Amino acid sequence: MMPVVRLVPKYTDSNGWWETLPQAPSPRVLSGQIRVQTAIIGGGICGVATANRLAELRPSDEFCLIEAERIGNGASGRNAGFMLNLHSHGTPKKLDILRRNIKLWEAGLASLRRKVEEWQIPCDWSNDGRFYGAAGPDGEKHIDEIAETLDQLGHDYTWFDQKAMRERIGTGFYSRGLHAPGNALVNPAALMRGLARNLPRNIDVYENTPVLGFERESGAFRIRTAHGTVLAERIVLAAGAFLRQFGIGVGKFVPMGTYASLTAPLNERALAHLGTGQEFGLLGASAYGATIRLTRDKRLFVRNLFNFVPGAPLGAARVAEIAKLHRKAMAARWPALAEEPFEHSWGGVMAFTLGNGTIFGEYQPGLFAILTHDISPMTRGEAAGGLLAEYMEKLDSDLLSVQLSIPAPQRLPPRPFLDVGVALKSAYLHYVAGREF
Ligand SMILES: Cc1cc2nc3c(=O)[nH]c(=O)nc-3n(C[C@H](O)[C@H](O)[C@H](O)COP(=O)(O)OP(=O)(O)OC[C@H]3O[C@@H](n4cnc5c(N)ncnc54)[C@H](O)[C@@H]3O)c2cc1C
């Protein structure tokens, strides 16, 4: 049974990372019929990383990368821009899983760093690390758990007391902070655009070209889009939270929306309320705490809320409602900036699995799929994409063995039990995030 896609990504909100970049060149939309050895569907971090490595490994093959939206305007270009080497909330109980994940996160981060340097991608890459901020008794407990995990892993960090936090980021909202080095901060839309622009020449990139389905035809796949067709010997499905539309991962991951807002560049008066006024990235000590950034061009970024998004991403009107939560979070931290307007508010959908499982491999002859999920998905996706290409070419490496050791995701309960379970867990995590939300 070959898939018919019923839901394709379409955003009506305003992704600040994308909108504040110079205008992108017009997209190349697929029309007519083309033939390639391998078609990659989905131009997020997984799809772009897989395409890049495959094309390197098979320089005389022809590839195409087909993206429903613009590359840089899907989830991989809508996130908070933390390219993480390590991230963990909760008690440090599963260190073996964490150590395994760290290998993948570090490999992904190193690969991104190498590409950004080599290709001179202007994405405001910063190596300044990240803060965790604790507010309230639960936050205090959670930040101690983070420190304990870092201790057990032998990773460096520095404590910031309330006064030091106020001096650095201008607010006494956080009773304690912890600064950990190692990760990068970026403008993710700029990163994705740059990665796509530097793909090897044997990859044709098509954007604004949603794939509507595919079927097998004389040993190949016939991929259908609105105005064109691709005949491909192999397909890589890298459609992120939309993977289920292709019949892969159904009942295996939860599509969760999360939302962000970005101010205009702050003037001197507003910046005076932000401590040193230097760029920073801060994650809540609690899992559902707000993510805050001061960007290189002096905009404040706020992300919070997770909600179950079984259908299309929320439209601009719902996102505008959610932006009120961003304003509340900003006002709680910097009362003097309570009226600072947001220029852009947007949302994106990411995938959460049960039990840290993954989707990676060949699901039918010639049909491969990949999903990056849960924690630090950008660096993990960069690593997994390269590894999927190596797996497809039957190469072997220690890192590939690590990736292959990750189990498939556990099956989720059916709806409506899933809806109830997700709602209860989200409500609990929002509750314990308390003031950090
Ligand atoms: C607000 C927000 C903040 C986040 N913050 C962070 C963070 O700081 N760090 C981090 O690591 N992660 C973060 N994430 C999560 C991270 O962005 C995603 O998990 C990651 O980008 C997923 O990558 P992907 O390649 O699997 O999927 P995607 O980036 O979603 O790529 C899949 C692509 O497939 C395309 N597609 C889907 N269906 C079709 C179709 N039918 N035809 C053609 N193309 C199709 C989509 O348009 C999309 O571009 C955040 C996410 C959000 C929304």
Side-chain angles (χ1 to χ4, degrees):
M1 176 74 173
M2 288 290 126
V4 176
V5 171
R6 299 190 194 285
L7 181 69
V8 298
K10 189 87 205 120
Y11 298 99
T12 58
D13 56 15
S14 173
N15 170 9
W17 300 121
W18 173 271
E19 297 298 336
T20 53
L21 292 178
Q23 200 180 356
S26 299
R28 181 177 180 193
V29 177
L30 178 68
S31 65
Q33 180 166 301
I34 62 164
R35 184 180 282 273
V36 294
Q37 271 81 31
T38 308
I40 296 100
I41 300 175
I45 193 71
C46 288
V48 172
T50 309
N52 183 69
R53 186 76 182 120
L54 272 176
E56 276 175 3
L57 292 170
R58 288 207 184 203
S60 47
D61 273 14
E62 292 297 324
F63 297 87
C64 71
L65 173 60
I66 314 172
E67 166 56 43
E69 254 277 344
R70 299 303 306 267
I71 295 183
N73 203 27
S76 295
R78 296 180 155 251
N79 57 55
F82 287 71
M83 303 297 121
L84 292 159
N85 56 325
L86 162 64
H87 181 50
S88 170
H89 281 115
T91 47
K93 49 187 178 291
K94 292 186 179 151
L95 283 185
D96 50 336
I97 293 184
L98 211 46
R99 286 203 177 90
R100 179 196 72 195
N101 289 346
I102 287 170
K103 288 187 183 152
L104 296 166
W105 293 330
E106 284 183 344
L109 180 60
S111 169
L112 287 173
R113 181 174 280 126
R114 195 173 53 247
K115 288 175 182 173
V116 166
E117 281 172 10
E118 197 177 312
W119 297 338
Q120 301 274 297
I121 298 175
C123 61
D124 289 348
W125 182 282
S126 144
N127 288 316
D128 285 345
R130 64 200 180 280
F131 285 95
Y132 292 95
D138 283 320
E140 282 285 333
K141 180 168 139 272
H142 296 148
I143 206 163
D144 283 335
E145 289 169 354
I146 291 170
E148 205 183 324
T149 303
L150 294 172
D151 284 339
Q152 295 201 16
L153 292 165
H155 280 234
D156 286 344
Y157 60 90
T158 310
W159 283 113
F160 276 57
D161 63 14
Q162 191 174 32
K163 179 165 167 283
M165 285 298 276
R166 189 183 286 111
E167 281 167 10
R168 176 63 180 86
I169 66 169
T171 175
F173 177 85
Y174 297 104
S175 49
R176 241 182 331 147
L178 178 161
H179 182 266
N183 62 285
L185 298 171
V186 299
N187 172 329
L191 174 71
M192 291 310 301
R193 262 197 207 176
L195 293 173
R197 202 173 40 240
N198 287 282
L199 284 170
R201 296 171 70 90
N202 52 338
I203 306 177
D204 284 326
V205 176
Y206 299 98
E207 296 174 278
N208 288 2
T209 303
V211 169
L212 304 175
F214 56 79
E215 46 269 328
R216 282 193 193 265
E217 188 182 282
S218 331
F221 293 97
R222 172 183 286 275
I223 302 169
R224 286 179 287 105
T225 72
H227 305 291
T229 309
V230 181
L231 294 176
E233 290 159 24
R234 302 191 293 185
I235 291 182
V236 176
L237 293 173
F242 294 86
L243 193 57
R244 297 176 313 160
Q245 294 298 314
F246 296 93
I248 306 275
V250 179
K252 296 290 182 72
F253 66 86
V254 189
M256 295 292 283
T258 184
Y259 304 86
S261 290
L262 192 67
T263 66
L266 300 177
N267 60 25
E268 288 300 320
R269 178 196 54 77
L271 262 184
H273 295 287
L274 285 162
T276 63
Q278 299 301 303
E279 183 178 4
F280 70 84
L282 181 147
L283 300 163
S286 309
Y288 271 30
T291 302
I292 310 279
R293 282 186 59 184
L294 179 63
T295 63
R296 187 161 303 171
D297 63 349
K298 310 299 180 200
R299 297 169 186 266
L300 260 180
F301 165 98
V302 183
R303 182 215 59 83
N304 63 16
L305 190 70
F306 283 106
N307 63 0
F308 184 30
V309 184
L314 300 187
R318 293 280 304 281
V319 170
E321 280 301 307
I322 291 169
K324 292 179 185 162
L325 298 174
H326 302 150
R327 170 152 312 289
K328 210 170 149 194
M330 189 164 78
R333 286 152 179 83
W334 295 280
L337 303 182
E339 301 304 322
E340 203 62 45
F342 289 127
E343 236 177 28
H344 305 281
S345 294
W346 68 96
V349 189
M350 56 194 291
F352 281 73
T353 61
L354 255 189
N356 251 287
T358 199
I359 291 174
F360 177 96
E362 188 168 15
Y363 287 79
Q364 289 174 23
L367 181 65
F368 298 82
I370 179 170
L371 182 72
T372 181
H373 50 83
D374 301 348
I375 301 165
S376 320
M378 288 296 286
T379 43
R380 187 166 176 150
E382 170 71 12
L387 291 169
L388 182 65
E390 293 174 13
Y391 172 82
M392 290 169 71
E393 297 310 316
K394 309 215 175 333
L395 299 179
D396 212 357
S397 70
D398 289 346
L399 202 59
L400 180 55
S401 308
V402 173
Q403 174 70 40
L404 290 172
S405 72
I406 304 175
Q410 292 167 22
R411 180 157 284 285
L412 296 162
R415 301 186 70 189
F417 303 105
L418 179 63
D419 303 51
V420 174
V422 173
L424 287 176
K425 177 145 191 202
S426 294
Y428 170 73
L429 288 170
H430 281 135
Y431 171 73
V432 294
R435 294 177 61 219
E436 278 174 30
F437 178 69

